[in-house]
Amino acid sequence: MKFLHTADWHIGKKLNGFDLLEEQEYAFKQILTLAKEEDVDGVIIAGDLYDRAIPPIEAIKAFDGMLERLNIIEKLPIYAISGNHDGANRLNFANQWMAENHLFLHTKLEEAFQPIEIEGIQLFLLPFFDPIDARIYYGVEDVEEMKTINHAMARVVKDLEKKFDPNKKQVLVTHFNVTGKKNPDYKLTSETTSTVGGLNSVSAEHFNKFHYVALGHLHLWQASPDEHIRYSGSPVKFNTKEAKNEKGVYIVELSEEGTIYLKFHKIKPNKDLIVLKGSFEELISEAFYTQQPTKGSAFFSIKLTSRSCDSHIRQKLSDIYGDIVELTYHLPSIELTEMDKKFKVRTSRSIEEVVENFYADVTCGDSLTKSQKKIVEDIVLTLNKKENNQ
Amino acid sequence: MKFLHTADWHIGKKLNGFDLLEEQEYAFKQILTLAKEEDVDGVIIAGDLYDRAIPPIEAIKAFDGMLERLNIIEKLPIYAISGNHDGANRLNFANQWMAENHLFLHTKLEEAFQPIEIEGIQLFLLPFFDPIDARIYYGVEDVEEMKTINHAMARVVKDLEKKFDPNKKQVLVTHFNVTGKKNPDYKLTSETTSTVGGLNSVSAEHFNKFHYVALGHLHLWQASPDEHIRYSGSPVKFNTKEAKNEKGVYIVELSEEGTIYLKFHKIKPNKDLIVLKGSFEELISEAFYTQQPTKGSAFFSIKLTSRSCDSHIRQKLSDIYGDIVELTYHLPSIELTEMDKKFKVRTSRSIEEVVENFYADVTCGDSLTKSQKKIVEDIVLTLNKKENNQ
């Protein structure tokens, strides 16, 4: 049996206000082509189908269209689950009609325990859940008894294993932060801030008895916790931390003996996400920008390495590069030390002097007008009075 | 061919904060039973399935469950459209998978032109649309050319008629305020305030060539514009204006010769909506309330016919009647005339006197305290000053 394993589509996600729908559509078409070329027996989508619980209408239309092309037009079975970004209850609508056409979309913990039986394989679709969902499902009233996701997962997996058919191979599809021997210290987590190995992570050991575990949640395939427990990563770069990482999907083949053959297939971006670092002067120099992708052909994240007194920085950079999804300052530490010294000098001056110097600094040399000086003096006077009254 | 015609389920609707989901579920069960007993060939739901574009999760679950029982468990075909309350684009999700199981749910104007062909019948599912939707669909740029819904409907129906198969009978399912010879002055409209016969209403004449038109929008079946153009009404009472009207659904049978056999089947409420009118004293008298449905067995709308100085009116009425969905004053006109006279007397008095009398009236006889009087005097003084300064 041969599957295409993908995850974290996050349909509807924007990158600092820039729409990624075209990018997602471009990635989807490659997934569709690959699934057909490889003649897979099904497509696994391991959660975070949408970017949020109530997705915008455009996202719903786009996602509906993608499922239609895979499942109705190409007759490819789909094995999908909801992730932490999805609204499980809304996504659940009409899933019984989809199941009749071999589109399985599980959004509730209780749905995980009935495996989908296909030729030689049992597919368990375990959607993202919180410990509280498991406590409700198992009727556990004492929080301490099932406090973390690891406690809950131990119980869940035990019940999944009860359904194991020894004549079949078992595949699990799930959506968590899973840590194992290959990624014990993996710091490049998903968009969430949860620390790997902490209360929110699940130990890969739970999944030892599965032949293959198709994970979603972490956006980088490199974060996979074990040989047979894999993240496919997202098909699209969703933030600048992911800019340098290749994106793609896995083609997973399970032989009758239980051997896994894995191949990672790259997904090319339409508009790539490029990080540029340099001074403003460098970035607007022809020698530099002619070396970069042309305007409109990429999203740019720009890190300025020095301050500039040009008052149209963003405009001038946009004119050259087009879609600037991020513009930040990354001042070298040497300059900060200089500032630090300046600050120490300033503290021996009067407040009025400090304000005047600060104003000159941020405006690249302007002086306070007479009326501005008056305002500063009045404020200092009032503050001094208050201090004396205390 | 035999259909059950219902409409305006408004799943998720609340009656002044009171949840109607149980009531809707109770009505649904009767619809399901009737559809089975009558052995219908399909169930028509003529719009306003939900009460709003983004329904609460509980409403989605409930509606999904109802469709499942009709269509997946009982294998009954469903012919449904979206109404003005539905979010057409959200509701559209997964409708292709549903259609494979003979659950047709049309939410877009363009879907209306492809009739559903069943034995001897063409079913046209025309969802609610605005004139602007039609202008976009037809590429009409000049608003004047297709300004009202009547203009748009003329064009739409002309195109529907082009699809007519002379060997078949035509049934239309739609959701508008339709006026005809039977309801030219019908004032009991739906929850909307649109005036019948105005810009927002559609002339029944457009639909002359259809054998049967299953309408939704107006909540009373009595508002039907013609013999073969019927509103089923809502299966549940949604506001006090509907309290005295029976609710139900139609069983429609079309013979091969094109004769229509219609039967209205009542739907019983679980908790009925009862309007009570009387003075507070009457309503709390045992002689009166023992004649009413017992507490908890109905929703009550209470119209008080005189003012009372009891400061726990709502509490005392709730203790007797339970769920009070509405509490309003309906003072007889004689009393208003009395008040009117009083007002005329008052205008010859000073502002302070008027305030004092008003205070006594609303508090059932209390006088202003010394400090309250002082406040009134200060306000009058300030107002007079301002007036003099102008």
Side-chain angles (χ1 to χ4, degrees):
Chain A
M1 295 296 274
K2 205 178 187 184
F3 300 102
L4 185 149
H5 165 200
T6 175
D8 296 278
W9 287 10
H10 287 269
I11 307 294
K13 190 174 175 68
K14 287 177 191 289
L15 183 49
N16 295 337
F18 287 84
D19 202 337
L20 292 175
L21 214 47
E22 265 187 54
E23 211 48 46
Q24 289 166 321
E25 181 62 40
Y26 191 79
F28 171 77
K29 280 182 189 154
Q30 294 172 68
I31 292 173
L32 181 65
T33 305
L34 182 66
K36 284 157 65 182
E37 280 175 2
E38 292 280 337
D39 195 19
V40 298
D41 298 294
V43 174
I44 290 169
I45 320 174
D48 282 358
L49 313 169
Y50 288 123
D51 194 50
R52 45 187 160 119
I54 302 183
I57 285 167
E58 286 311 313
I60 295 176
K61 275 189 190 176
F63 183 58
D64 193 54
M66 290 172 187
L67 294 184
E68 184 201 331
R69 278 174 281 171
L70 282 171
N71 183 248
I72 291 186
I73 299 173
E74 300 298 339
K75 314 273 180 224
L76 284 164
I78 296 179
Y79 308 100
I81 54 167
S82 52
N84 54 314
H85 275 252
D86 298 304
N89 283 300
R90 287 181 191 276
L91 199 55
N92 190 55
F93 181 74
N95 72 350
Q96 298 210 52
W97 286 268
M98 290 175 150
E100 305 234 341
N101 205 45
H102 297 280
L103 192 173
F104 300 93
L105 171 47
H106 286 191
T107 68
K108 295 171 190 169
L109 175 54
E110 57 263 40
E111 295 173 297
F113 302 101
Q114 198 50 57
I116 292 151
E117 306 277 350
I118 44 181
E119 201 192 318
I121 284 179
Q122 290 183 300
L123 251 162
F124 291 86
L125 304 182
L126 176 63
F128 172 82
F129 63 92
D130 274 318
I132 192 175
D133 301 318
R135 288 198 295 271
I136 291 169
Y137 177 74
Y138 285 112
V140 171
E141 283 175 19
D142 180 9
V143 175
E144 293 302 318
E145 204 184 305
M146 202 183 270
K147 200 172 181 181
T148 69
I149 190 63
N150 257 319
H151 295 144
M153 191 60 84
R155 177 83 179 261
V156 167
V157 170
K158 209 173 135 193
D159 283 350
L160 295 179
E161 287 174 357
K162 284 179 191 161
K163 302 287 172 86
F164 278 25
D165 175 346
N167 298 318
K168 288 189 168 186
K169 311 286 167 254
Q170 284 75 32
V171 171
L172 176 69
V173 180
T174 196
H175 187 97
F176 286 96
N177 195 345
V178 179
T179 45
K181 57 184 176 186
K182 294 258 179 186
N183 70 347
D185 300 313
Y186 214 91
K187 291 295 174 206
L188 278 164
T189 61
S190 79
E191 79 291 352
T192 68
T193 53
S194 55
T195 313
V196 175
L199 284 180
N200 294 322
S201 89
V202 171
S203 164
E205 287 180 11
H206 294 300
F207 308 131
N208 279 341
K209 290 187 183 159
F210 287 95
H211 289 81
Y212 184 69
V213 181
L215 293 175
H217 191 52
L218 303 192
H219 290 182
L220 302 177
W221 65 267
Q222 296 90 337
S224 297
D226 210 338
E227 283 301 333
H228 71 297
I229 307 173
R230 295 272 177 165
Y231 285 106
S232 64
S234 59
V236 166
K237 296 176 183 179
F238 287 127
N239 64 57
T240 50
K241 279 183 218 158
E242 298 170 34
K244 288 197 174 159
N245 294 86
E246 63 188 5
K247 293 296 184 180
V249 298
Y250 274 113
I251 296 289
V252 191
E253 211 172 339
L254 262 94
S255 75
E256 276 182 36
E257 297 76 37
T259 319
I260 319 160
Y261 301 94
L262 268 172
K263 189 164 187 253
F264 186 79
H265 289 257
K266 285 186 201 172
I267 299 284
K268 281 179 207 155
N270 176 30
K271 283 172 74 169
D272 202 358
L273 178 57
I274 307 288
V275 178
L276 299 179
K277 205 168 176 176
S279 69
F280 176 63
E281 289 67 30
E282 276 176 276
L283 289 164
I284 62 168
S285 72
E286 204 179 323
F288 184 88
Y289 71 68
T290 48
Q291 301 301 310
Q292 308 307 328
T294 53
K295 184 178 173 180
S297 70
F299 295 111
F300 290 92
S301 165
I302 292 180
K303 298 176 194 295
L304 291 174
T305 53
S306 66
R307 287 184 298 158
S308 164
C309 287
D310 194 298
S311 52
H312 301 289
I313 292 177
R314 181 174 274 275
Q315 188 55 53
K316 287 182 179 169
L317 289 170
S318 292
D319 288 346
I320 294 170
Y321 295 102
D323 297 336
I324 297 174
V325 296
E326 208 174 55
L327 180 61
T328 50
Y329 283 90
H330 289 250
L331 304 179
S333 53
I334 179 82
E335 194 168 339
L336 286 167
T337 315
E338 286 297 315
M339 282 178 77
D340 216 35
K341 276 181 204 157
K342 271 192 200 168
F343 180 70
K344 274 173 193 153
V345 176
R346 276 179 194 136
T347 51
S348 63
R349 297 185 197 169
S350 73
I351 296 177
E352 289 91 336
E353 274 178 300
V354 172
V355 174
E356 269 185 81
N357 284 331
F358 173 73
Y359 188 78
D361 259 15
V362 295
T363 60
C364 294
D366 282 2
S367 306
L368 288 172
T369 64
K370 218 171 169 181
S371 62
Q372 284 171 329
K373 271 188 193 171
K374 178 76 176 66
I375 293 168
V376 175
E377 281 165 17
D378 285 351
I379 292 169
V380 173
L381 209 67
T382 313
L383 287 171
N384 283 341
K385 264 190 205 164
K386 280 206 174 161
E387 211 162 79
N388 295 338
N389 287 344
Q390 275 173 353
Chain B
M1 295 296 275
K2 205 179 191 184
F3 300 101
L4 185 150
H5 165 200
T6 175
D8 296 277
W9 287 10
H10 287 269
I11 306 295
K13 190 176 175 68
K14 286 177 193 288
L15 183 50
N16 295 338
F18 286 84
D19 202 338
L20 292 175
L21 213 48
E22 266 187 53
E23 210 49 47
Q24 290 166 320
E25 180 62 38
Y26 191 80
F28 171 77
K29 279 182 191 154
Q30 294 172 68
I31 292 173
L32 181 65
T33 304
L34 181 67
K36 283 157 65 181
E37 279 175 6
E38 291 279 339
D39 195 19
V40 297
D41 298 296
V43 174
I44 291 168
I45 319 174
D48 283 357
L49 313 170
Y50 288 123
D51 194 52
R52 45 187 160 118
I54 302 183
I57 284 167
E58 287 310 314
I60 295 176
K61 274 189 192 176
F63 183 58
D64 193 54
M66 291 172 186
L67 294 184
E68 184 200 331
R69 276 173 283 172
L70 283 171
N71 183 248
I72 292 186
I73 298 172
E74 299 300 337
K75 314 272 179 224
L76 284 163
I78 295 179
Y79 308 102
I81 53 166
S82 51
N84 54 314
H85 275 251
D86 298 304
N89 283 300
R90 285 179 194 279
L91 199 54
N92 191 54
F93 181 75
N95 72 349
Q96 298 209 50
W97 286 267
M98 290 175 150
E100 305 236 339
N101 205 45
H102 297 280
L103 192 172
F104 300 94
L105 171 48
H106 287 190
T107 68
K108 294 172 191 168
L109 174 55
E110 58 263 39
E111 294 172 299
F113 303 101
Q114 198 50 57
I116 292 150
E117 307 277 350
I118 44 180
E119 201 192 318
I121 285 179
Q122 290 183 300
L123 249 162
F124 291 86
L125 304 183
L126 177 62
F128 172 83
F129 62 92
D130 273 318
I132 191 174
D133 301 318
R135 289 197 296 271
I136 291 168
Y137 177 74
Y138 285 113
V140 171
E141 282 176 20
D142 181 9
V143 175
E144 294 302 318
E145 205 183 304
M146 202 182 272
K147 200 174 181 180
T148 69
I149 190 63
N150 257 318
H151 295 146
M153 191 61 83
R155 178 83 179 263
V156 166
V157 171
K158 208 174 136 191
D159 283 349
L160 295 179
E161 287 173 358
K162 284 180 192 162
K163 300 290 173 82
F164 278 23
D165 176 346
N167 299 317
K168 288 189 168 185
K169 312 285 169 256
Q170 284 75 32
V171 171
L172 176 68
V173 180
T174 195
H175 187 98
F176 285 97
N177 195 346
V178 179
T179 46
K181 57 184 176 187
K182 294 259 180 186
N183 70 347
D185 300 314
Y186 213 92
K187 290 294 176 210
L188 278 165
T189 62
S190 78
E191 79 292 352
T192 69
T193 53
S194 54
T195 314
V196 174
L199 284 180
N200 293 322
S201 88
V202 171
S203 165
E205 287 180 13
H206 294 299
F207 307 131
N208 280 341
K209 291 189 183 157
F210 287 94
H211 289 81
Y212 183 71
V213 181
L215 293 175
H217 190 51
L218 304 192
H219 289 182
L220 301 176
W221 64 267
Q222 296 91 338
S224 296
D226 210 337
E227 283 300 334
H228 71 297
I229 307 174
R230 296 272 176 166
Y231 285 107
S232 65
S234 59
V236 166
K237 296 176 183 179
F238 287 128
N239 64 57
T240 51
K241 280 184 217 158
E242 297 170 35
K244 287 198 174 158
N245 295 86
E246 61 187 8
K247 294 296 183 180
V249 299
Y250 273 114
I251 295 291
V252 191
E253 211 172 338
L254 262 97
S255 76
E256 276 183 37
E257 297 76 37
T259 320
I260 318 161
Y261 301 95
L262 267 172
K263 187 159 189 256
F264 186 79
H265 289 257
K266 285 186 200 170
I267 299 284
K268 283 180 206 154
N270 177 30
K271 283 173 75 169
D272 202 359
L273 178 57
I274 307 288
V275 179
L276 300 178
K277 206 167 175 176
S279 70
F280 177 62
E281 288 69 27
E282 278 176 276
L283 289 164
I284 61 167
S285 73
E286 204 178 326
F288 183 88
Y289 71 69
T290 50
Q291 301 301 309
Q292 308 307 329
T294 52
K295 184 178 172 179
S297 71
F299 295 110
F300 291 94
S301 164
I302 292 180
K303 297 175 193 296
L304 291 174
T305 53
S306 67
R307 287 185 296 158
S308 164
C309 286
D310 195 295
S311 51
H312 300 290
I313 293 178
R314 182 173 273 275
Q315 189 52 54
K316 285 180 180 172
L317 289 169
S318 292
D319 287 347
I320 293 170
Y321 295 102
D323 296 337
I324 298 174
V325 296
E326 209 173 54
L327 180 62
T328 50
Y329 283 90
H330 289 249
L331 304 179
S333 53
I334 178 85
E335 193 167 346
L336 286 168
T337 314
E338 287 296 317
M339 284 179 75
D340 214 35
K341 276 182 204 157
K342 271 193 202 170
F343 180 71
K344 274 173 193 150
V345 176
R346 276 179 192 136
T347 51
S348 64
R349 297 187 195 166
S350 73
I351 297 177
E352 288 91 335
E353 274 177 298
V354 172
V355 173
E356 268 185 81
N357 284 330
F358 173 72
Y359 189 76
D361 260 14
V362 296
T363 59
C364 295
D366 282 3
S367 307
L368 289 171
T369 63
K370 218 169 167 183
S371 63
Q372 285 172 327
K373 273 187 193 171
K374 180 74 176 64
I375 293 169
V376 175
E377 281 165 17
D378 285 350
I379 291 170
V380 174
L381 209 68
T382 313
L383 287 172
N384 282 341
K385 265 190 204 165
K386 279 207 174 162
E387 214 163 75
N388 294 336
N389 286 342
Q390 271 173 0

